[in-house]
Amino acid sequence: MAKCPSRTSLARIANKWTAMIVIALSDGPLRFKEIKATVEGISGKVLTDTLRALERDGAVSRTFYPEMPPRVEYHLTELGQTLSEPLNALRVWSETYFDAVQDARDAYDRALEPSEGRLLTSI
């Protein structure tokens, strides 16, 4: 598995920022500030680095418009569009099962809390 050719592609796709950017661009081209506003919590540097990596991988295209002021838009390439469906499926799953995952986390955390007269269960 260590030398599997798909390893770097899977690592890129599994990155949370990649998934969020691809989902944001699924509806059409966006400018940098629009992506940053859509993908809450991402820093400008991480957004720049991730967009460059996606462009290098052929998933995102950057279009420069020589206007005043200059304008740059990012959009999914044909290859990038093939990621939209599986990543949107993950988004739908995470939204659908958010409460169930949170309940499981809470139950797990409660099981780890020490209480009077109760031993912690091994996990």
PDB file of all heavy atoms in Angstrom, residues 43-77:
ATOM      1  N   SER A  43      -7.762  29.586   6.352  1.00  0.00           N
ATOM      2  CA  SER A  43      -6.932  30.788   6.267  1.00  0.00           C
ATOM      3  C   SER A  43      -6.617  31.079   4.806  1.00  0.00           C
ATOM      4  O   SER A  43      -6.714  30.196   3.943  1.00  0.00           O
ATOM      5  CB  SER A  43      -5.628  30.592   7.052  1.00  0.00           C
ATOM      6  OG  SER A  43      -4.792  29.665   6.374  1.00  0.00           O
ATOM      7  N   GLY A  44      -6.219  32.297   4.534  1.00  0.00           N
ATOM      8  CA  GLY A  44      -5.852  32.674   3.178  1.00  0.00           C
ATOM      9  C   GLY A  44      -4.701  31.843   2.641  1.00  0.00           C
ATOM     10  O   GLY A  44      -4.705  31.424   1.485  1.00  0.00           O
ATOM     11  N   LYS A  45      -3.713  31.571   3.484  1.00  0.00           N
ATOM     12  CA  LYS A  45      -2.552  30.782   3.059  1.00  0.00           C
ATOM     13  C   LYS A  45      -2.944  29.351   2.732  1.00  0.00           C
ATOM     14  O   LYS A  45      -2.528  28.802   1.709  1.00  0.00           O
ATOM     15  CB  LYS A  45      -1.475  30.792   4.136  1.00  0.00           C
ATOM     16  CG  LYS A  45      -0.247  29.979   3.739  1.00  0.00           C
ATOM     17  CD  LYS A  45       0.772  29.905   4.831  1.00  0.00           C
ATOM     18  CE  LYS A  45       2.025  29.143   4.504  1.00  0.00           C
ATOM     19  NZ  LYS A  45       2.005  28.165   3.464  1.00  0.00           N
ATOM     20  N   VAL A  46      -3.753  28.740   3.587  1.00  0.00           N
ATOM     21  CA  VAL A  46      -4.173  27.359   3.345  1.00  0.00           C
ATOM     22  C   VAL A  46      -5.043  27.292   2.096  1.00  0.00           C
ATOM     23  O   VAL A  46      -4.912  26.359   1.288  1.00  0.00           O
ATOM     24  CB  VAL A  46      -4.894  26.766   4.580  1.00  0.00           C
ATOM     25  CG1 VAL A  46      -5.529  25.428   4.272  1.00  0.00           C
ATOM     26  CG2 VAL A  46      -3.923  26.636   5.744  1.00  0.00           C
ATOM     27  N   LEU A  47      -5.908  28.280   1.900  1.00  0.00           N
ATOM     28  CA  LEU A  47      -6.734  28.311   0.695  1.00  0.00           C
ATOM     29  C   LEU A  47      -5.856  28.434  -0.543  1.00  0.00           C
ATOM     30  O   LEU A  47      -6.034  27.694  -1.520  1.00  0.00           O
ATOM     31  CB  LEU A  47      -7.748  29.457   0.753  1.00  0.00           C
ATOM     32  CG  LEU A  47      -8.636  29.630  -0.473  1.00  0.00           C
ATOM     33  CD1 LEU A  47      -9.387  28.347  -0.823  1.00  0.00           C
ATOM     34  CD2 LEU A  47      -9.615  30.782  -0.246  1.00  0.00           C
ATOM     35  N   THR A  48      -4.894  29.331  -0.515  1.00  0.00           N
ATOM     36  CA  THR A  48      -3.970  29.495  -1.644  1.00  0.00           C
ATOM     37  C   THR A  48      -3.228  28.199  -1.928  1.00  0.00           C
ATOM     38  O   THR A  48      -3.152  27.749  -3.080  1.00  0.00           O
ATOM     39  CB  THR A  48      -2.960  30.632  -1.363  1.00  0.00           C
ATOM     40  OG1 THR A  48      -3.674  31.859  -1.231  1.00  0.00           O
ATOM     41  CG2 THR A  48      -1.922  30.758  -2.467  1.00  0.00           C
ATOM     42  N   ASP A  49      -2.666  27.587  -0.886  1.00  0.00           N
ATOM     43  CA  ASP A  49      -1.901  26.349  -1.061  1.00  0.00           C
ATOM     44  C   ASP A  49      -2.775  25.225  -1.614  1.00  0.00           C
ATOM     45  O   ASP A  49      -2.356  24.468  -2.489  1.00  0.00           O
ATOM     46  CB  ASP A  49      -1.272  25.908   0.266  1.00  0.00           C
ATOM     47  CG  ASP A  49      -0.171  26.836   0.743  1.00  0.00           C
ATOM     48  OD1 ASP A  49       0.298  27.679  -0.058  1.00  0.00           O
ATOM     49  OD2 ASP A  49       0.222  26.725   1.919  1.00  0.00           O
ATOM     50  N   THR A  50      -4.011  25.119  -1.099  1.00  0.00           N
ATOM     51  CA  THR A  50      -4.905  24.050  -1.540  1.00  0.00           C
ATOM     52  C   THR A  50      -5.358  24.275  -2.976  1.00  0.00           C
ATOM     53  O   THR A  50      -5.397  23.332  -3.776  1.00  0.00           O
ATOM     54  CB  THR A  50      -6.112  23.929  -0.589  1.00  0.00           C
ATOM     55  OG1 THR A  50      -5.637  23.774   0.754  1.00  0.00           O
ATOM     56  CG2 THR A  50      -6.968  22.725  -0.943  1.00  0.00           C
ATOM     57  N   LEU A  51      -5.681  25.516  -3.327  1.00  0.00           N
ATOM     58  CA  LEU A  51      -6.057  25.818  -4.710  1.00  0.00           C
ATOM     59  C   LEU A  51      -4.906  25.518  -5.672  1.00  0.00           C
ATOM     60  O   LEU A  51      -5.119  24.945  -6.745  1.00  0.00           O
ATOM     61  CB  LEU A  51      -6.498  27.274  -4.856  1.00  0.00           C
ATOM     62  CG  LEU A  51      -7.880  27.608  -4.308  1.00  0.00           C
ATOM     63  CD1 LEU A  51      -8.083  29.123  -4.249  1.00  0.00           C
ATOM     64  CD2 LEU A  51      -8.972  26.948  -5.134  1.00  0.00           C
ATOM     65  N   ARG A  52      -3.685  25.866  -5.286  1.00  0.00           N
ATOM     66  CA  ARG A  52      -2.521  25.575  -6.142  1.00  0.00           C
ATOM     67  C   ARG A  52      -2.329  24.072  -6.308  1.00  0.00           C
ATOM     68  O   ARG A  52      -2.026  23.592  -7.405  1.00  0.00           O
ATOM     69  CB  ARG A  52      -1.259  26.208  -5.560  1.00  0.00           C
ATOM     70  CG  ARG A  52      -1.196  27.693  -5.785  1.00  0.00           C
ATOM     71  CD  ARG A  52       0.084  28.296  -5.256  1.00  0.00           C
ATOM     72  NE  ARG A  52       0.083  29.742  -5.466  1.00  0.00           N
ATOM     73  CZ  ARG A  52       0.804  30.585  -4.772  1.00  0.00           C
ATOM     74  NH1 ARG A  52       1.615  30.157  -3.818  1.00  0.00           N
ATOM     75  NH2 ARG A  52       0.752  31.869  -5.026  1.00  0.00           N
ATOM     76  N   ALA A  53      -2.501  23.321  -5.222  1.00  0.00           N
ATOM     77  CA  ALA A  53      -2.354  21.867  -5.292  1.00  0.00           C
ATOM     78  C   ALA A  53      -3.440  21.257  -6.183  1.00  0.00           C
ATOM     79  O   ALA A  53      -3.159  20.360  -6.992  1.00  0.00           O
ATOM     80  CB  ALA A  53      -2.415  21.270  -3.888  1.00  0.00           C
ATOM     81  N   LEU A  54      -4.664  21.756  -6.056  1.00  0.00           N
ATOM     82  CA  LEU A  54      -5.753  21.259  -6.894  1.00  0.00           C
ATOM     83  C   LEU A  54      -5.539  21.638  -8.359  1.00  0.00           C
ATOM     84  O   LEU A  54      -5.864  20.860  -9.265  1.00  0.00           O
ATOM     85  CB  LEU A  54      -7.102  21.793  -6.391  1.00  0.00           C
ATOM     86  CG  LEU A  54      -7.607  21.161  -5.102  1.00  0.00           C
ATOM     87  CD1 LEU A  54      -8.774  21.960  -4.529  1.00  0.00           C
ATOM     88  CD2 LEU A  54      -8.013  19.715  -5.344  1.00  0.00           C
ATOM     89  N   GLU A  55      -4.971  22.812  -8.580  1.00  0.00           N
ATOM     90  CA  GLU A  55      -4.664  23.228  -9.953  1.00  0.00           C
ATOM     91  C   GLU A  55      -3.561  22.327 -10.519  1.00  0.00           C
ATOM     92  O   GLU A  55      -3.647  21.872 -11.668  1.00  0.00           O
ATOM     93  CB  GLU A  55      -4.232  24.701  -9.958  1.00  0.00           C
ATOM     94  CG  GLU A  55      -4.047  25.277 -11.340  1.00  0.00           C
ATOM     95  CD  GLU A  55      -3.719  26.764 -11.332  1.00  0.00           C
ATOM     96  OE1 GLU A  55      -3.535  27.365 -10.258  1.00  0.00           O
ATOM     97  OE2 GLU A  55      -3.645  27.325 -12.444  1.00  0.00           O
ATOM     98  N   ARG A  56      -2.566  22.054  -9.720  1.00  0.00           N
ATOM     99  CA  ARG A  56      -1.467  21.174 -10.148  1.00  0.00           C
ATOM    100  C   ARG A  56      -1.978  19.777 -10.476  1.00  0.00           C
ATOM    101  O   ARG A  56      -1.514  19.144 -11.428  1.00  0.00           O
ATOM    102  CB  ARG A  56      -0.417  21.104  -9.038  1.00  0.00           C
ATOM    103  CG  ARG A  56       0.781  20.262  -9.405  1.00  0.00           C
ATOM    104  CD  ARG A  56       1.853  20.336  -8.328  1.00  0.00           C
ATOM    105  NE  ARG A  56       3.005  19.554  -8.731  1.00  0.00           N
ATOM    106  CZ  ARG A  56       3.434  18.495  -8.072  1.00  0.00           C
ATOM    107  NH1 ARG A  56       2.823  18.092  -6.968  1.00  0.00           N
ATOM    108  NH2 ARG A  56       4.478  17.821  -8.502  1.00  0.00           N
ATOM    109  N   ASP A  57      -2.946  19.298  -9.704  1.00  0.00           N
ATOM    110  CA  ASP A  57      -3.526  17.964  -9.919  1.00  0.00           C
ATOM    111  C   ASP A  57      -4.505  17.938 -11.090  1.00  0.00           C
ATOM    112  O   ASP A  57      -4.992  16.866 -11.464  1.00  0.00           O
ATOM    113  CB  ASP A  57      -4.255  17.485  -8.663  1.00  0.00           C
ATOM    114  CG  ASP A  57      -3.309  17.127  -7.528  1.00  0.00           C
ATOM    115  OD1 ASP A  57      -2.088  17.015  -7.763  1.00  0.00           O
ATOM    116  OD2 ASP A  57      -3.801  16.947  -6.395  1.00  0.00           O
ATOM    117  N   GLY A  58      -4.834  19.105 -11.622  1.00  0.00           N
ATOM    118  CA  GLY A  58      -5.744  19.161 -12.761  1.00  0.00           C
ATOM    119  C   GLY A  58      -7.212  19.195 -12.382  1.00  0.00           C
ATOM    120  O   GLY A  58      -8.080  19.034 -13.239  1.00  0.00           O
ATOM    121  N   ALA A  59      -7.518  19.433 -11.112  1.00  0.00           N
ATOM    122  CA  ALA A  59      -8.909  19.441 -10.656  1.00  0.00           C
ATOM    123  C   ALA A  59      -9.530  20.838 -10.683  1.00  0.00           C
ATOM    124  O   ALA A  59     -10.747  20.966 -10.772  1.00  0.00           O
ATOM    125  CB  ALA A  59      -9.006  18.858  -9.246  1.00  0.00           C
ATOM    126  N   VAL A  60      -8.695  21.860 -10.582  1.00  0.00           N
ATOM    127  CA  VAL A  60      -9.171  23.247 -10.556  1.00  0.00           C
ATOM    128  C   VAL A  60      -8.412  24.040 -11.612  1.00  0.00           C
ATOM    129  O   VAL A  60      -7.220  23.816 -11.838  1.00  0.00           O
ATOM    130  CB  VAL A  60      -8.955  23.870  -9.151  1.00  0.00           C
ATOM    131  CG1 VAL A  60      -9.152  25.374  -9.174  1.00  0.00           C
ATOM    132  CG2 VAL A  60      -9.893  23.239  -8.136  1.00  0.00           C
ATOM    133  N   SER A  61      -9.119  24.948 -12.237  1.00  0.00           N
ATOM    134  CA  SER A  61      -8.507  25.854 -13.206  1.00  0.00           C
ATOM    135  C   SER A  61      -8.666  27.281 -12.707  1.00  0.00           C
ATOM    136  O   SER A  61      -9.683  27.635 -12.115  1.00  0.00           O
ATOM    137  CB  SER A  61      -9.179  25.683 -14.563  1.00  0.00           C
ATOM    138  OG  SER A  61      -8.548  26.511 -15.507  1.00  0.00           O
ATOM    139  N   ARG A  62      -7.641  28.070 -12.938  1.00  0.00           N
ATOM    140  CA  ARG A  62      -7.616  29.474 -12.527  1.00  0.00           C
ATOM    141  C   ARG A  62      -7.683  30.321 -13.783  1.00  0.00           C
ATOM    142  O   ARG A  62      -6.877  30.161 -14.695  1.00  0.00           O
ATOM    143  CB  ARG A  62      -6.318  29.728 -11.761  1.00  0.00           C
ATOM    144  CG  ARG A  62      -6.088  31.124 -11.303  1.00  0.00           C
ATOM    145  CD  ARG A  62      -4.702  31.184 -10.615  1.00  0.00           C
ATOM    146  NE  ARG A  62      -4.449  32.478 -10.069  1.00  0.00           N
ATOM    147  CZ  ARG A  62      -3.913  33.494 -10.724  1.00  0.00           C
ATOM    148  NH1 ARG A  62      -3.563  33.356 -11.997  1.00  0.00           N
ATOM    149  NH2 ARG A  62      -3.707  34.649 -10.140  1.00  0.00           N
ATOM    150  N   THR A  63      -8.639  31.243 -13.828  1.00  0.00           N
ATOM    151  CA  THR A  63      -8.786  32.123 -14.988  1.00  0.00           C
ATOM    152  C   THR A  63      -8.550  33.557 -14.548  1.00  0.00           C
ATOM    153  O   THR A  63      -9.219  34.052 -13.640  1.00  0.00           O
ATOM    154  CB  THR A  63     -10.198  31.990 -15.609  1.00  0.00           C
ATOM    155  OG1 THR A  63     -10.428  30.616 -15.936  1.00  0.00           O
ATOM    156  CG2 THR A  63     -10.318  32.830 -16.862  1.00  0.00           C
ATOM    157  N   PHE A  64      -7.590  34.198 -15.214  1.00  0.00           N
ATOM    158  CA  PHE A  64      -7.253  35.593 -14.932  1.00  0.00           C
ATOM    159  C   PHE A  64      -7.913  36.474 -15.983  1.00  0.00           C
ATOM    160  O   PHE A  64      -7.793  36.228 -17.183  1.00  0.00           O
ATOM    161  CB  PHE A  64      -5.730  35.786 -14.967  1.00  0.00           C
ATOM    162  CG  PHE A  64      -5.313  37.214 -14.823  1.00  0.00           C
ATOM    163  CD1 PHE A  64      -5.294  37.819 -13.577  1.00  0.00           C
ATOM    164  CD2 PHE A  64      -4.941  37.967 -15.929  1.00  0.00           C
ATOM    165  CE1 PHE A  64      -4.908  39.158 -13.439  1.00  0.00           C
ATOM    166  CE2 PHE A  64      -4.557  39.290 -15.809  1.00  0.00           C
ATOM    167  CZ  PHE A  64      -4.547  39.878 -14.553  1.00  0.00           C
ATOM    168  N   TYR A  65      -8.628  37.491 -15.519  1.00  0.00           N
ATOM    169  CA  TYR A  65      -9.271  38.456 -16.408  1.00  0.00           C
ATOM    170  C   TYR A  65      -8.544  39.788 -16.293  1.00  0.00           C
ATOM    171  O   TYR A  65      -8.561  40.407 -15.218  1.00  0.00           O
ATOM    172  CB  TYR A  65     -10.748  38.628 -16.038  1.00  0.00           C
ATOM    173  CG  TYR A  65     -11.555  37.364 -16.199  1.00  0.00           C
ATOM    174  CD1 TYR A  65     -11.741  36.500 -15.121  1.00  0.00           C
ATOM    175  CD2 TYR A  65     -12.116  37.027 -17.423  1.00  0.00           C
ATOM    176  CE1 TYR A  65     -12.477  35.328 -15.265  1.00  0.00           C
ATOM    177  CE2 TYR A  65     -12.849  35.857 -17.574  1.00  0.00           C
ATOM    178  CZ  TYR A  65     -13.024  35.016 -16.494  1.00  0.00           C
ATOM    179  OH  TYR A  65     -13.741  33.857 -16.646  1.00  0.00           O
ATOM    180  N   PRO A  66      -7.895  40.240 -17.373  1.00  0.00           N
ATOM    181  CA  PRO A  66      -7.121  41.485 -17.315  1.00  0.00           C
ATOM    182  C   PRO A  66      -8.025  42.715 -17.389  1.00  0.00           C
ATOM    183  O   PRO A  66      -8.067  43.430 -18.388  1.00  0.00           O
ATOM    184  CB  PRO A  66      -6.201  41.378 -18.533  1.00  0.00           C
ATOM    185  CG  PRO A  66      -6.948  40.518 -19.494  1.00  0.00           C
ATOM    186  CD  PRO A  66      -7.781  39.577 -18.657  1.00  0.00           C
ATOM    187  N   GLU A  67      -8.774  42.919 -16.326  1.00  0.00           N
ATOM    188  CA  GLU A  67      -9.668  44.073 -16.223  1.00  0.00           C
ATOM    189  C   GLU A  67      -9.104  45.026 -15.187  1.00  0.00           C
ATOM    190  O   GLU A  67      -8.112  44.742 -14.552  1.00  0.00           O
ATOM    191  CB  GLU A  67     -11.064  43.609 -15.752  1.00  0.00           C
ATOM    192  CG  GLU A  67     -11.636  42.464 -16.550  1.00  0.00           C
ATOM    193  CD  GLU A  67     -12.880  41.861 -15.906  1.00  0.00           C
ATOM    194  OE1 GLU A  67     -13.069  41.998 -14.676  1.00  0.00           O
ATOM    195  OE2 GLU A  67     -13.656  41.256 -16.649  1.00  0.00           O
ATOM    196  N   MET A  68      -9.812  46.104 -14.978  1.00  0.00           N
ATOM    197  CA  MET A  68      -9.451  47.015 -13.889  1.00  0.00           C
ATOM    198  C   MET A  68     -10.596  47.068 -12.913  1.00  0.00           C
ATOM    199  O   MET A  68     -11.663  47.528 -13.277  1.00  0.00           O
ATOM    200  CB  MET A  68      -9.130  48.402 -14.427  1.00  0.00           C
ATOM    201  CG  MET A  68      -7.751  48.467 -15.005  1.00  0.00           C
ATOM    202  SD  MET A  68      -6.579  47.635 -13.949  1.00  0.00           S
ATOM    203  CE  MET A  68      -5.462  48.908 -13.564  1.00  0.00           C
ATOM    204  N   PRO A  69     -10.452  46.621 -11.703  1.00  0.00           N
ATOM    205  CA  PRO A  69      -9.284  45.893 -11.194  1.00  0.00           C
ATOM    206  C   PRO A  69      -9.251  44.468 -11.749  1.00  0.00           C
ATOM    207  O   PRO A  69     -10.287  43.941 -12.159  1.00  0.00           O
ATOM    208  CB  PRO A  69      -9.524  45.886  -9.679  1.00  0.00           C
ATOM    209  CG  PRO A  69     -10.999  45.937  -9.530  1.00  0.00           C
ATOM    210  CD  PRO A  69     -11.509  46.749 -10.689  1.00  0.00           C
ATOM    211  N   PRO A  70      -8.072  43.850 -11.753  1.00  0.00           N
ATOM    212  CA  PRO A  70      -7.950  42.488 -12.262  1.00  0.00           C
ATOM    213  C   PRO A  70      -8.855  41.528 -11.480  1.00  0.00           C
ATOM    214  O   PRO A  70      -9.126  41.727 -10.301  1.00  0.00           O
ATOM    215  CB  PRO A  70      -6.485  42.140 -12.039  1.00  0.00           C
ATOM    216  CG  PRO A  70      -5.800  43.446 -11.884  1.00  0.00           C
ATOM    217  CD  PRO A  70      -6.798  44.381 -11.299  1.00  0.00           C
ATOM    218  N   ARG A  71      -9.318  40.504 -12.175  1.00  0.00           N
ATOM    219  CA  ARG A  71     -10.220  39.527 -11.566  1.00  0.00           C
ATOM    220  C   ARG A  71      -9.693  38.132 -11.840  1.00  0.00           C
ATOM    221  O   ARG A  71      -9.217  37.848 -12.940  1.00  0.00           O
ATOM    222  CB  ARG A  71     -11.620  39.712 -12.157  1.00  0.00           C
ATOM    223  CG  ARG A  71     -12.655  38.748 -11.662  1.00  0.00           C
ATOM    224  CD  ARG A  71     -14.047  39.156 -12.142  1.00  0.00           C
ATOM    225  NE  ARG A  71     -14.173  39.273 -13.570  1.00  0.00           N
ATOM    226  CZ  ARG A  71     -14.754  38.372 -14.353  1.00  0.00           C
ATOM    227  NH1 ARG A  71     -15.280  37.288 -13.832  1.00  0.00           N
ATOM    228  NH2 ARG A  71     -14.826  38.568 -15.657  1.00  0.00           N
ATOM    229  N   VAL A  72      -9.778  37.261 -10.826  1.00  0.00           N
ATOM    230  CA  VAL A  72      -9.375  35.860 -10.962  1.00  0.00           C
ATOM    231  C   VAL A  72     -10.524  34.997 -10.474  1.00  0.00           C
ATOM    232  O   VAL A  72     -11.117  35.267  -9.428  1.00  0.00           O
ATOM    233  CB  VAL A  72      -8.101  35.546 -10.134  1.00  0.00           C
ATOM    234  CG1 VAL A  72      -7.759  34.066 -10.190  1.00  0.00           C
ATOM    235  CG2 VAL A  72      -6.926  36.385 -10.621  1.00  0.00           C
ATOM    236  N   GLU A  73     -10.861  33.985 -11.258  1.00  0.00           N
ATOM    237  CA  GLU A  73     -11.899  33.036 -10.867  1.00  0.00           C
ATOM    238  C   GLU A  73     -11.323  31.627 -10.892  1.00  0.00           C
ATOM    239  O   GLU A  73     -10.438  31.320 -11.693  1.00  0.00           O
ATOM    240  CB  GLU A  73     -13.098  33.090 -11.813  1.00  0.00           C
ATOM    241  CG  GLU A  73     -13.956  34.301 -11.651  1.00  0.00           C
ATOM    242  CD  GLU A  73     -15.184  34.246 -12.550  1.00  0.00           C
ATOM    243  OE1 GLU A  73     -15.217  33.464 -13.517  1.00  0.00           O
ATOM    244  OE2 GLU A  73     -16.110  35.022 -12.255  1.00  0.00           O
ATOM    245  N   TYR A  74     -11.846  30.809 -10.008  1.00  0.00           N
ATOM    246  CA  TYR A  74     -11.467  29.402  -9.943  1.00  0.00           C
ATOM    247  C   TYR A  74     -12.688  28.566 -10.281  1.00  0.00           C
ATOM    248  O   TYR A  74     -13.804  28.889  -9.880  1.00  0.00           O
ATOM    249  CB  TYR A  74     -10.976  29.048  -8.535  1.00  0.00           C
ATOM    250  CG  TYR A  74      -9.731  29.796  -8.150  1.00  0.00           C
ATOM    251  CD1 TYR A  74      -9.810  31.046  -7.540  1.00  0.00           C
ATOM    252  CD2 TYR A  74      -8.473  29.273  -8.415  1.00  0.00           C
ATOM    253  CE1 TYR A  74      -8.668  31.750  -7.197  1.00  0.00           C
ATOM    254  CE2 TYR A  74      -7.322  29.971  -8.083  1.00  0.00           C
ATOM    255  CZ  TYR A  74      -7.429  31.203  -7.469  1.00  0.00           C
ATOM    256  OH  TYR A  74      -6.293  31.899  -7.142  1.00  0.00           O
ATOM    257  N   HIS A  75     -12.467  27.521 -11.054  1.00  0.00           N
ATOM    258  CA  HIS A  75     -13.571  26.617 -11.366  1.00  0.00           C
ATOM    259  C   HIS A  75     -13.047  25.181 -11.451  1.00  0.00           C
ATOM    260  O   HIS A  75     -11.849  24.957 -11.641  1.00  0.00           O
ATOM    261  CB  HIS A  75     -14.287  27.028 -12.655  1.00  0.00           C
ATOM    262  CG  HIS A  75     -13.473  26.831 -13.893  1.00  0.00           C
ATOM    263  ND1 HIS A  75     -12.587  27.769 -14.344  1.00  0.00           N
ATOM    264  CD2 HIS A  75     -13.408  25.803 -14.760  1.00  0.00           C
ATOM    265  CE1 HIS A  75     -12.011  27.328 -15.452  1.00  0.00           C
ATOM    266  NE2 HIS A  75     -12.496  26.136 -15.723  1.00  0.00           N
ATOM    267  N   LEU A  76     -13.958  24.245 -11.296  1.00  0.00           N
ATOM    268  CA  LEU A  76     -13.585  22.847 -11.421  1.00  0.00           C
ATOM    269  C   LEU A  76     -13.368  22.510 -12.889  1.00  0.00           C
ATOM    270  O   LEU A  76     -14.140  22.923 -13.749  1.00  0.00           O
ATOM    271  CB  LEU A  76     -14.681  21.938 -10.863  1.00  0.00           C
ATOM    272  CG  LEU A  76     -14.925  22.012  -9.358  1.00  0.00           C
ATOM    273  CD1 LEU A  76     -16.086  21.097  -8.976  1.00  0.00           C
ATOM    274  CD2 LEU A  76     -13.674  21.638  -8.582  1.00  0.00           C
ATOM    275  N   THR A  77     -12.324  21.751 -13.149  1.00  0.00           N
ATOM    276  CA  THR A  77     -12.102  21.232 -14.496  1.00  0.00           C
ATOM    277  C   THR A  77     -13.023  20.024 -14.677  1.00  0.00           C
ATOM    278  O   THR A  77     -13.747  19.623 -13.756  1.00  0.00           O
ATOM    279  CB  THR A  77     -10.646  20.777 -14.652  1.00  0.00           C
ATOM    280  OG1 THR A  77     -10.408  19.709 -13.733  1.00  0.00           O
ATOM    281  CG2 THR A  77      -9.665  21.923 -14.424  1.00  0.00           C
TER     282      THR A  77
END
